[in-house]
Amino acid sequence: MSDSLTKLQSKKSVGATAVRRKSGPPRVKITGDGVVRFCVGLPAGKGAAPDFTPANLIEMIHLGLPMQELKDLQARLAVPMAQLVPLLGISKATLHRRKAGGRLGPAESDRVVRFARLMGKAVEVLESEENARQWLTSPQFGLGGAVPLDYAGTEIGAREVEDLLGRIEYGVYS
């Protein structure tokens, strides 16, 4: 009888552990759906959806975004996929593997979010998606004649593009 009581107590303690874990703050199901739409559609810091907190975005990136997010980015930028994937550091073979698996890797997801945020900032500053597309795909004097999407292939380049958009926004275009 003591053996069955010990088993019963251990089952209760396991259940209690699970209850304690569940008693924390309510968690949002992390899927990664709509990240590009969120980054492009809403100005930074205004009306941010609760599902897309920085902590949730980081978790989504670590899990890998669905392939649909890459397709959404491609549609928003209106750039052929063959031109976009090298900018994101994705080879053709890797692209085919990701399509088969249905998810991007963490590094690729991070770059998709980086480009989506740049598109969103450009839309905010230039006031339309069409103006943003034109600007992001044309050489810019403020980047030494470089095309912003090409320049944004690295984090430092992306920050330079953001800085240039900030200067344009505040009338300090150089």
Side-chain angles (χ1 to χ4, degrees):
M1 183 151 169
S2 65
D3 287 329
S4 63
L5 182 60
T6 307
K7 288 178 184 177
L8 182 60
Q9 286 175 342
S10 68
K11 285 183 183 179
K12 283 183 180 176
S13 66
V14 170
T17 304
V19 170
R20 270 188 244 126
R21 284 187 195 144
K22 290 181 181 178
S23 69
R27 294 202 29 107
V28 176
K29 184 178 179 191
I30 307 292
T31 62
D33 294 335
V35 172
V36 170
R37 190 177 67 244
F38 168 75
C39 290
V40 174
L42 294 175
K46 297 180 183 173
D51 292 357
F52 295 109
T53 63
N56 284 348
L57 282 172
I58 290 167
E59 191 171 344
M60 289 176 202
I61 289 168
H62 284 298
L63 293 172
L65 295 176
M67 274 299 296
Q68 184 60 45
E69 294 300 313
L70 177 60
K71 294 173 187 173
D72 290 350
L73 178 65
Q74 186 265 329
R76 293 286 184 157
L77 291 172
V79 173
M81 191 65 80
Q83 183 182 348
L84 179 60
V85 292
L87 296 174
L88 296 171
I90 303 172
S91 69
K92 286 182 181 182
T94 300
L95 179 62
H96 289 295
R97 279 195 311 272
R98 298 299 185 243
K99 282 181 180 179
R103 293 193 96 65
L104 297 167
E108 299 143 356
S109 297
D110 187 47
R111 290 187 290 262
V112 166
V113 170
R114 178 192 309 157
F115 276 59
R117 288 180 56 231
L118 284 177
M119 178 67 174
K121 182 68 174 174
V123 168
E124 182 182 343
V125 171
L126 303 171
E127 301 179 345
S128 78
E129 280 194 37
E130 186 53 43
N131 289 343
R133 280 187 209 103
Q134 177 75 29
W135 189 86
L136 286 168
T137 57
S138 302
Q140 300 300 320
F141 179 78
L143 297 174
V147 174
L149 284 182
D150 294 339
Y151 215 70
T154 64
E155 182 62 29
I156 293 171
R159 288 181 187 220
E160 286 299 312
V161 173
E162 286 176 357
D163 288 347
L164 179 57
L165 284 165
R167 291 194 306 267
I168 292 168
E169 183 176 22
Y170 291 102
V172 191
Y173 184 65
S174 53

